[in-house]
Amino acid sequence: MAAEHAPNASEYIVHHLTHLNSLGHKQAALVDWTVYHLDTLFWSVSLGLLAVLILARAAAKATSGVPGRFQAAVEILVEMVESQSKSIVHGDRSFIAPLALTVFVWIFFMNAMDLLPLDALPNIWAWIFGVAGHDANHAYMRVVPTADLNATLGMSLGVLLLCLYYNVKIKGFGGWMHELFTAPFGSHPLLYPVNFAMQMIEFVAKTVSHGMRLFGNMYAGELIFMLIALMGAAWAGTAGSGLLWLGGVFAGTVWAIFHILIITLQAFIFMMLTLVYIGQAHESH
Amino acid sequence: MNLNATLFAQLVVFLILAWFTMKFVWPPIMKALDERAGKIADGLAAADKAKTDLAHAEKKAAEELRKARESAAEFRSGAEKQVAQLIEEARAEGARIVNAAREAAEAEAGTASQRAKEALREHVAALAVAGAERILRKEINAQAHAELLTQLKSEL
């Protein structure tokens, strides 16, 4: 932040909610397919690489003998994912189970960025941005990729594509088309349009809710961290502001502890829904 | 909250990461887990087998011990019998030797006293003759009276 004036609460939050994108300023249109969120891409790719490299390291050193703590921890995770995928998806899981593991670990890592001090990474970025000769006031950086709708919808779209792929693979294109027009209400020419409309709504609803659920949780969590940070920033030497500061410490602690549950739970839910949707693609109506 | 091309980039990254996990993470870990499960199953089976083996071995050991005890008892009683017999024999031999020695000593003592008696007889005869010579104041022909003296000697 520039020294000349401290930002007011609204400016602080807006600044924190603005992405570092390929435009250099806030995207004006709601949808613009020429723009990239550089911060989301950087953090999600970095954390994704970190996640798979940690897993790959465990895999490379895996022995069938007595496992170390690290290997045992990864094995617990793998066994959990394996048993969940086995109970949900009936068919070849040689890609689906690893996919679920990736989803869980990657989303957990991205969500966990929420637990870092709110201003730490953005301030470091602002400093780098300033040193590079730009206006540090316009150094935007959002470090929680899952609090970006693009990231979560991107993943849920990936799951949708996989659902379509498995629908065709398991049922054949003809079989799937037949299902699209005859399920859920039954096989009658009059019902074909209704069935098809229902199926389309189902696919869209699944995908949007899948991405939106994760985004909503993480975005709201991030926003509450910002509000708590504002309480802490209220300190001005008076008794009232001191109480606010104490409240900020207390609320920050409670919310961060609660957030440990949220980030794990949301990663788990995303993984389970991925398995459920892909599992549905394996079942014939 | 804007939608943009980040979405598609994220989609691609998502699929690449999942592919990477499928290729390099999942198989080695599952292999290790399956292998360990196999090892544990083998271990449990081996433990079961060892348990039955142990029971067998214990039974066998008890049987052997019982046999050994029996044969030891047999040996001991045999040995005791033998010892008793040896002692008995030794005692009999000892008694025999003592008796023989006693008999030999008695026999020797008998001949010695006999010899002493003979010698005494000779002396007594000589003394008697000498005494008689003195008494009679005349010489008696020893040869003429040898018969008389021998008779006298045997009467002593």
Side-chain angles (χ1 to χ4, degrees), chain A residues 39-218:
Chain A
D39 46 4
T40 298
L41 284 176
F42 173 77
W43 290 113
S44 68
V45 171
S46 305
L47 292 168
L49 286 179
L50 181 69
V52 295
L53 288 180
I54 286 175
L55 292 176
R57 187 171 165 72
K61 300 205 308 183
T63 68
S64 56
V66 180
R69 287 182 169 181
F70 171 59
Q71 190 190 331
V74 173
E75 278 174 7
I76 288 169
L77 206 59
V78 169
E79 294 249 45
M80 183 273 287
V81 174
E82 167 72 3
S83 62
Q84 294 290 357
S85 71
K86 194 184 244 169
S87 65
I88 294 172
V89 181
H90 307 292
D92 175 25
R93 288 174 291 109
S94 59
F95 177 68
I96 297 164
L99 171 89
L101 178 68
T102 313
V103 162
F104 181 69
V105 179
W106 189 25
I107 292 179
F108 177 80
F109 275 30
M110 291 195 286
N111 289 354
M113 294 297 282
D114 233 357
L115 293 174
L116 293 178
L118 187 67
D119 280 310
L121 290 170
N123 277 358
I124 292 171
W125 172 243
W127 179 77
I128 295 170
F129 206 63
V131 167
H134 303 284
D135 180 5
N137 279 326
H138 293 286
Y140 302 112
M141 174 58 65
R142 290 187 62 182
V143 298
V144 188
T146 42
D148 179 355
L149 188 57
N150 291 293
T152 58
L153 273 185
M155 288 186 287
S156 64
L157 264 184
V159 173
L160 175 68
L161 289 183
L162 290 172
C163 284
L164 302 183
Y165 167 74
Y166 280 108
N167 264 315
V168 173
K169 187 188 168 197
I170 303 293
K171 300 161 189 164
F173 189 75
W176 183 44
M177 281 301 130
H178 180 259
E179 186 183 295
L180 279 185
F181 285 97
T182 57
F185 295 119
S187 180
H188 189 280
L190 277 179
L191 291 174
Y192 287 171
V194 188
N195 284 331
F196 185 74
M198 276 302 286
Q199 293 272 358
M200 289 303 108
I201 290 170
E202 203 179 304
F203 275 120
V204 170
K206 275 183 195 170
T207 303
V208 171
S209 69
H210 197 193
M212 279 287 195
R213 176 179 297 104
L214 179 60
F215 161 73
N217 273 284
M218 300 322 296

Side-chain angles (χ1 to χ4, degrees), chain B residues 72-82:
Chain B
E74 226 164 77
F75 269 123
R76 192 189 297 139
S77 68
E80 272 168 0
K81 228 176 266 171
Q82 206 171 347

